[in-house]
Amino acid sequence: MSCGSIFDVPKLREQMARIEKEASDPNLWSNQQKSQTVMRERKRLEDMLSTEADLARRSDDIAAYFELAREGEDVSADLRREIDSLRELVERLETETLLSGEHDARNAIVTIHPGAGGTESQDWAEMLLRMYLRWAERQGFETVLNDYQPGEEAGIKSATFSVNGEYAYGLLTSEIGVHRLVRISPFDQAKRRHTSFASVFVSPEIDESIHVEITTEDLRVDTYRSGGRGGQHVNTTDSAVRITHLPTGIVVSCQNERSQHKNRDRAMSMLRSRLYEHELEKKRAATKKIEDSKLDIDFGSQIRSYVLAPYRMVKDHRTKTEVGDVDRVLDGDLQPFIRAYLRARRDEQQGSV
């Protein structure tokens, strides 16, 4: 099989045996950082061995169906189903091979802000929020809504949520930047076409293995009453927490928990991640690899356009990828755009070597 170069089974099993030996050492668990690293590596190897076995099984099944077809049996429907399923698996594996960045495997923290335009842009920001939550659900990822600021009439003023799953950050780096919507406005009685903008920022969730220095003097901590979506999301005490990092101006908020202490802890974790990404951003500025995430939320700065009128199409302006089924995209099918972006990133990196 051509994938043998990727899934070198004997080598993987040697690595697994070595990891299992490390994991069986009682002294390992006294070092939390090392134990986490060992467990992550064991899971990675287990997943690769499982995937290799799955590929081999699927290939054998397809070969068996071809043999049955040669004997005169009608297995076309079963064969088509197996080939389509194998194609989906191969596409997923290809995507994973493109995720080689230092933090690509980490969880992600996503923040969405509407651009100028009031209710129109706020509604568009909420549509993006739903799109990403649906995408995460399709991927089998866990999401936690950390902060949700509703608009006065509709939509949101901002939202921050975590996406927990392997390679969540690496996959969502394709979404950093300004997103543009063109549609007949549901808020315009004259039914005119409007253009709205919203920005998406993504940072990797940083764990305790990476040190980010934060001094108390650099922080302003405000508490306020949660104003979420109603019901269980609304508190009757000032338990929500907003933390401002004064030197950088970075602001994080959390109102997900009923406990102010838990909200503060979560907000500090988000701040650490944002500050770490901020430092990475400064280092990468010279090569302009994250230029899109710094653009104004306005015309000419968008990475992707979602056009609902006068025609229907979603177009990524960086990779020129186009999808005509807008509803499917807004319902969370972002894989064509993510794969195209990751391929372009790989080609750019190879070209700069």
Side-chain angles (χ1 to χ4, degrees), residues 36-252:
Q36 289 177 348
T37 301
V38 169
M39 290 300 101
R40 281 198 297 266
E41 179 63 7
R42 184 167 73 172
K43 184 179 185 306
R44 185 185 72 84
L45 293 170
E46 287 174 344
D47 289 344
M48 291 187 71
L49 285 168
S50 175
T51 299
E52 192 279 334
D54 192 20
L55 281 170
R57 180 189 61 77
R58 290 170 186 265
S59 298
D60 290 343
D61 288 346
I62 290 174
Y65 279 124
F66 273 116
E67 184 63 31
L68 290 172
R70 281 192 289 269
E71 294 174 359
E73 292 195 35
D74 183 8
V75 293
S76 57
D78 295 319
L79 186 57
R80 187 178 300 110
R81 184 186 66 250
E82 289 295 331
I83 290 176
D84 289 343
S85 178
L86 179 60
R87 182 183 296 111
E88 289 180 7
L89 176 59
V90 170
E91 288 178 351
R92 179 176 65 81
L93 293 175
E94 181 198 18
T95 301
E96 290 181 2
T97 63
L98 299 172
L99 295 168
S100 57
E102 182 181 2
H103 301 295
D104 281 352
R106 294 183 179 272
N107 297 333
I109 298 175
V110 184
T111 301
I112 301 174
H113 288 291
T119 302
E120 285 287 343
S121 293
Q122 290 176 9
D123 187 56
W124 171 224
E126 186 167 46
M127 290 171 65
L128 285 175
L129 172 62
R130 179 190 179 278
M131 181 181 76
Y132 290 123
L133 294 178
R134 288 286 293 121
W135 172 83
E137 181 183 343
R138 284 168 174 252
Q139 301 302 306
F141 292 159
E142 176 194 22
T143 57
V144 179
L145 188 61
N146 300 307
D147 186 53
Y148 181 94
Q149 301 296 328
E152 283 85 359
E153 297 181 36
I156 56 173
K157 293 180 179 178
S158 70
T160 300
F161 61 97
S162 301
V163 182
N164 302 325
E166 195 168 15
Y167 294 109
Y169 173 68
L171 293 168
L172 286 168
T173 53
S174 64
E175 303 307 299
I176 297 174
V178 177
H179 297 247
R180 170 177 174 253
L181 173 70
V182 180
R183 64 173 175 175
I184 302 297
S185 170
F187 306 102
D188 186 339
Q189 293 183 347
K191 301 299 180 183
R192 290 171 295 190
R193 192 165 67 244
H194 284 245
T195 299
S196 307
F197 299 89
S199 68
V200 175
F201 186 80
V202 185
S203 58
E205 186 175 70
I206 303 304
D207 57 30
E208 298 299 328
S209 65
I210 297 178
H211 177 67
V212 178
E213 184 175 353
I214 303 175
T215 62
T216 306
E217 294 76 14
D218 290 339
L219 302 180
R220 185 177 73 238
V221 180
D222 301 306
T223 59
Y224 58 98
R225 186 162 298 178
S226 176
R229 298 182 174 186
Q232 62 181 352
H233 295 287
V234 177
N235 296 329
T236 56
T237 59
D238 292 344
S239 61
V241 174
R242 180 184 299 110
I243 301 177
T244 304
H245 186 252
L246 300 175
T248 62
I250 292 174
V251 180
V252 296

